[in-house]
Amino acid sequence: MRAKVVDTAHSFERRAVASLAALYAFRMLGLFMVLPVLALYGTDYAGSTPLLLGLALGAYGFSQALLQIPFGMLSDRLGRKPMIALGLLLFALGSVVAATAESVYGLIIGRCLQGGGAIASVIMALVADLTSEQNRTKAMAAIGASIGLSFSVALVLGPVITGIAGLSGIFWFTAVFALLGLVVLFKLIPDPGSAETAQREAGAVAALLGQTLKHRDLLRLDWGIFCLHFVLMASFVVVPVMLEADLGLARERHWQVYLPLLTLAFVAMVPFMLLAERHRKIKTVFLGAIALLAAMLVALIWWQRDLVLALTALFLFFMAFNLLEATLPSLMSKVAPAGTKGTAAGIYSTSQFLGAFAGGAGGGALMQFGGPHWVFGCGAAVVVSWLAVAAFMRPPRFLTSVWVPLGDADLTAMKSRMLGLSGVEEVVIIEDERAAYLKVDNRLFDRSSVDQLQQ
């Protein structure tokens, strides 16, 4: 009977995570599809300049950064699903505004509205509400994988759809996907009920913002994700134009470049991920990937007119980007003190979207007033500054977060007793939740030892 209950619970969690991953993927697909085409087709908009097109490219990041933490906090009061639905409706509205825009200013407004649906933190909180503690890390990894897949698919689909239906076709496509997201939300994703236990680990907590912003290693990671998305958005102000103007590749065929490059980059990344996680070489791999990213940006200054060398540099750029995109959340999770992971993730996401905004706007300005060399050179300088900051980061401990309800137990005594358990490195007691947040080494920690303390 117990085995049947466990199987049912696992089936429930798998369905919930698969549905949420699909919802996240739908949304990110729409945002990413613009990357490989806006610099090429955006010149048809009235009033367009490289600066304004760069601003349009990164505009969604500004509203995302502004609303990310507030959306998460409101979802604690108003409910996860209502806030996700509001975000999807804003995303659909922004897509329609962008699809019908005739000037670059209308496009910028549409992109800002798209970003107004800042539901990333709410989805992550809902994942925590619908999954058990032991499966939560895998669930978050599945969401992360859906983002990586969306990025790769979007770079291939974007040029294909734009070649058929124009740039407005992409925005109509994303509007439809947002509405499909509403169907997924209300038909496939289970209701979270009254789950409140994961709040501090899943969402931002106002009382913890100051403490989290003082954590030096977390600030290093926040700067890192800012730099990574700054470089990504700035590079896509230049790369599509480079492929067409310098390398002679027709814009309708750009997907034939992105598809093999991204596939090979993902395959090449996997061994380094295994080295980082399984052999606990995460800082070495992390610093190496940052150095590779900076080197390829410098290489593109000199190689942008040579087909073989430029494509080689892009392959290594995408490999480094994918590796860093996967490694940064893992590092953030390992570094965040017990009970602050949700707050750390909210600040991290805000930094990411600020980077996207700054990269689009800054890349556009550099392209207009300096040219491609300035964009790649500035990007390289930003990444070198990141490397200098990251070099002083302490090697992370490979610890896992564990939430323990304490009921009517003596909180002070329980903290002391839990600190004495094998594998327990850190214990934070939250009095108003009557719960403890632990950071543990899974190689040494036995969950049953905590259960025995409470008997």
Side-chain angles (χ1 to χ4, degrees), residues 192-216:
S194 59
E196 299 290 344
T197 57
Q199 183 176 337
R200 283 182 178 251
E201 287 289 85
V205 179
L208 297 177
L209 287 172
Q211 172 189 336
T212 308
L213 285 169
K214 294 177 183 177
H215 195 291
R216 291 186 179 182

Side-chain angles (χ1 to χ4, degrees), residues 266-282 285 319 322-330 334 398:
F266 178 81
V267 172
M269 172 198 77
V270 172
F272 294 98
M273 279 297 298
L274 295 176
L275 177 65
E277 294 291 343
R278 292 188 181 179
H279 298 280
R280 304 202 167 189
K281 300 289 186 182
I282 193 166
V285 171
M319 187 185 84
N322 288 336
L323 185 55
L324 290 165
E325 185 79 354
T327 304
L328 276 164
S330 176
K334 290 177 174 64
F398 282 68

Side-chain angles (χ1 to χ4, degrees), residues 374-450:
W374 280 86
V375 179
F376 289 132
C378 179
V382 168
V383 176
V384 168
S385 77
W386 175 17
L387 182 61
V389 168
F392 293 97
M393 185 179 71
R394 292 169 295 180
R397 298 177 297 172
F398 282 68
L399 303 177
T400 302
S401 294
V402 174
W403 174 81
V404 180
L406 297 179
D408 297 326
D410 183 322
L411 301 185
T412 303
M414 284 298 294
K415 179 175 182 178
S416 177
R417 294 166 70 186
M418 285 188 289
L419 281 170
L421 295 175
S422 177
V424 176
E425 299 288 337
E426 185 180 350
V427 178
V428 174
I429 300 291
I430 309 300
E431 292 188 14
D432 57 346
E433 292 182 25
R434 303 293 302 178
Y437 290 88
L438 282 60
K439 296 280 276 192
V440 305
D441 185 338
N442 274 335
R443 297 178 303 176
L444 304 173
F445 178 70
D446 181 358
R447 177 59 195 250
S448 64
S449 63
V450 173

Side-chain angles (χ1 to χ4, degrees), residues 78-278:
L78 304 179
R80 311 296 191 209
K81 283 192 172 184
M83 293 306 298
I84 292 174
L86 174 61
L88 290 171
L89 288 172
L90 283 172
F91 184 58
L93 175 62
S95 299
V96 171
V97 170
T100 55
E102 296 183 355
S103 73
V104 70
Y105 300 103
L107 179 64
I108 292 170
I109 292 171
R111 290 285 284 169
C112 281
L113 282 171
Q114 280 188 316
I119 58 174
S121 61
V122 187
I123 290 178
M124 289 303 187
L126 186 52
V127 170
D129 290 344
L130 295 174
T131 55
S132 60
E133 163 216 308
Q134 58 266 33
N135 292 324
R136 197 160 296 139
T137 299
K138 294 179 182 177
M140 297 295 186
I143 300 294
S146 75
I147 299 172
L149 181 62
S150 296
F151 176 71
S152 299
V153 172
L155 292 194
V156 175
L157 270 184
V160 172
I161 293 174
T162 310
I164 297 171
L167 196 55
S168 63
I170 282 186
F171 294 118
W172 287 118
F173 188 87
T174 58
V176 170
F177 261 53
L179 298 178
L180 285 175
L182 288 171
V183 176
V184 172
L185 177 65
F186 290 110
K187 294 294 186 181
L188 299 180
I189 297 173
D191 290 319
S194 59
E196 299 290 344
T197 57
Q199 183 176 337
R200 283 182 178 251
E201 287 289 85
V205 179
L208 297 177
L209 287 172
Q211 172 189 336
T212 308
L213 285 169
K214 294 177 183 177
H215 195 291
R216 291 186 179 182
D217 283 342
L218 285 176
L219 288 176
R220 290 185 176 100
L221 296 176
D222 294 335
W223 175 244
I225 194 64
F226 175 94
C227 293
L228 187 62
H229 282 261
F230 177 97
V231 165
L232 177 70
M233 301 304 287
S235 296
F236 272 98
V237 173
V238 179
V239 168
V241 178
M242 179 188 79
L243 292 177
E244 182 177 64
D246 295 330
L247 302 179
L249 299 170
R251 60 182 65 178
E252 295 82 7
R253 299 180 61 190
H254 284 190
W255 69 271
Q256 296 175 353
V257 174
Y258 293 124
L259 180 59
L261 283 182
L262 289 164
T263 302
L264 291 172
F266 178 81
V267 172
M269 172 198 77
V270 172
F272 294 98
M273 279 297 298
L274 295 176
L275 177 65
E277 294 291 343
R278 292 188 181 179

Side-chain angles (χ1 to χ4, degrees), residues 31-73:
L31 289 172
F32 285 143
M33 278 197 297
V34 178
L35 288 181
V37 295
L38 186 59
L40 295 171
Y41 293 86
T43 54
D44 295 335
Y45 287 96
S48 69
T49 65
L51 170 59
L52 292 175
L53 289 178
L55 187 60
L57 196 65
Y60 83 93
F62 177 76
S63 44
Q64 281 274 338
L66 192 66
L67 297 173
Q68 194 68 222
I69 291 177
F71 255 69
M73 290 181 175

